[in-house]
Amino acid sequence: MYSVDCRQSSKNTDFRLDPAYSMLSTLYPKLDTANRAVLEQVQFERLRSQLEYVYARSPFYRQRFQQVGFCPDDLRELADLRRLPLLSKPELLADQQNAPPYGERLCVPSDKIRMLILTSGTSGIGQEAYAMTRMDIEYGGSAWANWFYRCGVRKGDRLLLTWPLGTNSGPQGAFLGGYKVGANVLPIAPYDSETKIRTYMQRFDPVAILATPAYLSHLTILCEEQGLDPKASFPSLRIIMIATEAYPVSWAQKIQAIWGARIHELYGNTQHGGLAAGTCEAGTITEQGSRGCLHMDEWSCLYEVLDPETQEPVEPGSEGELVLTNLFREGSPLVRFRTKDRVRLVPYHACSCGRPTNAIEAGTIARYDDMIKIRTQNVWPEAVDATIFAYPEVEEYQARVYVDEYGKEQVEIKVEFRASAGEADARQRILELAAAELRRNAGVSMCLVEASAGSLERFVFKTRRWTDERNKGLERVLHTAGGTRKE
Ligand SMILES: [Zn+2]
């Protein structure tokens, strides 16, 4: 191991990204028709510039580069990036702890920071913090605007957003993207479902709506109960946009038939800082009934899909872990970050739209770790373990995530107490306290009930305590909803 210092040898001393960014945001439609060679040339130039940027600005990255004897001038082709080590969530959290609140990976002075974003929920080990500059925020909005346009959203179209604004990057990116594409944005997250449908959807008749698959099922059932035929009640609706959960093809087909609208899907995460991938005009389901794809925004990010064991790139058509390197980011850029998201790589030429960007399969994005996404919040079973087993009276528990008869995602946790636990009212008190703590820590309400002594299986691995029945729930809900209506 040796160290190098190539700050002096860097040819590019002007690290302002704004000119390039401005080009990117206005050129998206043209970029979509570029060929793969042009894309890779742009990626190479941006990567070189971004690596020089982080090397000069961030002690965190400089040290990482030096540890493997790499300096940005060494980058001769895109594949040279693989000389740098992969970056994991625990490393980011350790960096933040050493230099709070943003860590030494921060590349800008504090007066450049316009917004903070945080990874959602709690992993039991902490949330990552990202500093967003004006350019980072603007760029995120442009990526969303580009995708909205690709889905068919045009100026003046009423765009209904059901995601609540918070500290993760998705909802604010969607709002800004809607504004940038020129849509008439209706952010109605705070209202209950009935008010959304009766007051807002019927009154304003949206052209496009953004929701999660489970919430869409919930709205579908609610319409059924209220005697509303979505196709007739919302005649302008032609675009449904979803994210965050995997779903069966049959579910998507059913929803499209009931609502008379095409489903589009996006993929994004707070680490990326915006929208990372989205469907093209074709949507999530092909005309032949197979899964469509989400083109990755390879203009803003370099994506690798790697075998998580060998860390070698997977063959097209195979599954692997998505690893990202920001090509345009000022505040808290990432270099070779392991997302832990499991995706199936679809090569760019497999999609008939002709875009030069590689893609990932629609409807199948999952996790390598045991994180569970519940009502758009990230929940880690180990964090739930820590809360429940903090009570010495608890012997074992078992959790189930399902979609209820109203289409709403629910969590039921059965708790078995030790024989030495107190009387019934003391046990009930523990269930109530633990439920309140879980709601506070994970941001999700869970229903805790007592299980009779000896009724629960004993588990060694924490993930085995959890069963996810949501896909079953979606199918059941849709079977009911579609069963009474002719399509
Ligand atoms: Zn395409």
Side-chain angles (χ1 to χ4, degrees):
M1 218 51 95
Y2 62 99
S3 76
V4 290
D5 186 342
C6 54
R7 270 171 295 173
Q8 302 307 316
S9 66
S10 170
K11 292 174 205 67
N12 185 359
T13 51
D14 179 5
F15 291 110
R16 284 175 303 144
L17 303 180
D18 293 56
Y21 155 72
S22 304
M23 265 176 50
L24 185 70
S25 64
T26 54
L27 278 179
Y28 259 125
K30 282 188 188 165
L31 295 176
D32 276 351
T33 61
N35 65 38
R36 185 79 196 169
V38 170
L39 168 62
E40 290 184 2
Q41 183 59 34
V42 171
Q43 283 187 316
F44 175 75
E45 285 164 14
R46 284 302 320 155
L47 179 62
R48 174 76 172 259
S49 179
Q50 185 81 19
L51 294 183
E52 287 174 350
Y53 174 81
V54 300
Y55 190 93
R57 300 287 186 101
S58 154
F60 174 78
Y61 283 114
R62 197 176 312 130
Q63 192 186 11
R64 286 176 74 81
F65 288 16
Q66 286 172 346
Q67 275 171 356
V68 294
F70 181 91
C71 90
D73 277 354
D74 293 341
L75 193 83
R76 300 276 179 248
E77 56 179 344
L78 287 171
D80 289 336
L81 178 66
R82 301 194 58 228
R83 289 178 50 192
L84 287 169
L86 294 170
L87 178 57
S88 66
K89 179 185 177 80
E91 289 174 294
L92 297 179
L93 295 172
D95 175 42
Q96 282 170 206
Q97 199 146 24
N98 292 339
Y102 294 109
E104 288 194 323
R105 67 183 193 280
L106 179 69
C107 290
V108 293
S110 58
D111 65 350
K112 289 271 185 194
I113 303 171
R114 297 285 186 278
M115 190 173 71
L116 151 77
I117 55 175
L118 293 168
T119 49
S120 64
T122 171
S123 62
I125 49 174
Q127 296 170 285
E128 301 142 52
Y130 292 85
M132 299 287 277
T133 66
R134 183 187 68 80
M135 192 207 78
D136 294 335
I137 297 167
E138 289 277 338
Y139 168 70
S142 294
W144 272 90
N146 174 56
W147 181 64
F148 283 148
Y149 189 86
R150 213 194 286 168
C151 295
V153 179
R154 296 292 180 269
K155 275 185 184 172
D157 282 350
R158 288 174 301 282
L159 168 64
L160 203 124
L161 304 179
T162 65
W163 294 357
L165 195 65
T167 50
N168 58 348
S169 69
Q172 55 84 14
F175 180 87
L176 189 56
Y179 167 78
K180 276 177 175 271
V181 82
N184 176 351
V185 187
L186 305 170
I188 60 163
Y191 304 103
D192 64 57
S193 304
E194 198 175 331
T195 308
K196 281 191 183 86
I197 288 176
R198 286 286 180 194
T199 308
Y200 294 98
M201 293 182 68
Q202 283 205 292
R203 184 173 168 200
F204 293 104
D205 187 22
V207 170
I209 176 171
L210 177 68
T212 63
Y215 193 66
L216 205 52
S217 292
H218 175 57
L219 291 179
T220 307
I221 286 291
L222 207 58
C223 284
E224 178 97 356
E225 285 177 354
Q226 308 244 332
L228 295 175
D229 175 358
K231 214 189 286 191
S233 303
F234 317 115
S236 297
L237 190 77
R238 53 187 168 77
I239 304 160
I240 292 175
M241 296 171 288
I242 58 169
T244 79
E245 295 155 30
Y247 52 88
V249 168
S250 55
W251 174 86
Q253 288 170 326
K254 201 105 191 186
I255 284 279
Q256 291 194 150
I258 291 172
W259 289 79
R262 176 165 290 183
I263 296 190
H264 285 276
E265 182 184 353
L266 74 102
Y267 163 78
N269 54 42
T270 295
Q271 287 94 350
H272 171 277
L275 186 140
T279 43
C280 59
E281 297 76 4
T284 52
I285 308 293
T286 66
E287 285 180 5
Q288 293 74 36
S290 56
R291 290 191 187 275
C293 67
L294 282 63
H295 287 277
M296 294 186 278
D297 185 359
E298 292 187 287
W299 299 102
S300 78
C301 234
L302 196 87
Y303 294 103
E304 300 169 81
V305 181
L306 305 181
D307 181 317
E309 299 295 323
T310 65
Q311 302 183 359
E312 291 294 321
V314 302
E315 294 295 322
S318 302
E319 285 189 334
E321 181 179 358
L322 193 70
V323 171
L324 67 86
T325 299
N326 295 116
L327 296 177
F328 285 88
R329 198 163 187 183
E330 285 184 327
S332 305
L334 292 174
V335 177
R336 300 201 82 205
F337 176 73
R338 300 185 71 152
T339 63
K340 293 283 184 105
D341 285 326
R342 191 178 68 210
V343 302
R344 187 181 301 283
L345 176 64
V346 177
Y348 68 97
H349 47 76
C351 185
S352 57
C353 74
R355 284 185 176 78
T357 43
N358 285 327
I360 49 185
E361 187 178 66
T364 57
I365 299 165
R367 295 284 299 176
Y368 275 108
D369 63 17
D370 50 5
M371 185 192 90
I372 306 170
K373 206 140 194 154
I374 302 167
R375 293 181 221 141
T376 80
Q377 295 293 313
N378 298 341
V379 176
W380 275 266
E382 62 190 324
V384 176
D385 280 8
T387 303
I388 293 182
F389 289 122
Y391 295 91
E393 297 88 347
V394 172
E395 170 72 28
E396 187 52 86
Y397 83 88
Q398 208 167 313
R400 179 170 80 97
V401 192
Y402 65 102
V403 179
D404 70 12
E405 67 268 34
Y406 299 105
K408 202 167 179 197
E409 289 170 76
Q410 302 285 6
V411 184
E412 182 195 61
I413 299 183
K414 288 182 178 167
V415 178
E416 192 181 318
F417 288 96
R418 293 179 194 278
S420 57
E423 295 299 310
D425 53 345
R427 299 197 300 269
Q428 183 58 32
R429 180 82 187 129
I430 290 171
L431 294 178
E432 286 165 11
L433 287 171
E437 275 176 60
L438 289 170
R439 191 165 51 245
R440 196 165 52 242
N441 296 338
V444 174
S445 295
M446 305 183 195
C447 175
L448 272 67
V449 294
E450 183 174 351
S452 54
S455 64
L456 298 186
E457 205 182 323
R458 302 299 188 256
F459 297 96
V460 179
F461 300 106
K462 57 183 179 294
T463 49
R464 306 278 287 278
R465 291 196 175 92
W466 287 74
T467 48
D468 191 343
E469 300 173 359
R470 281 176 294 188
N471 268 354
K472 207 166 79 182
L474 292 182
E475 294 270 34
R476 182 168 54 79
V477 161
L478 281 160
H479 186 71
T480 311
T484 55
R485 182 179 300 119
K486 285 197 168 61
E487 293 166 23

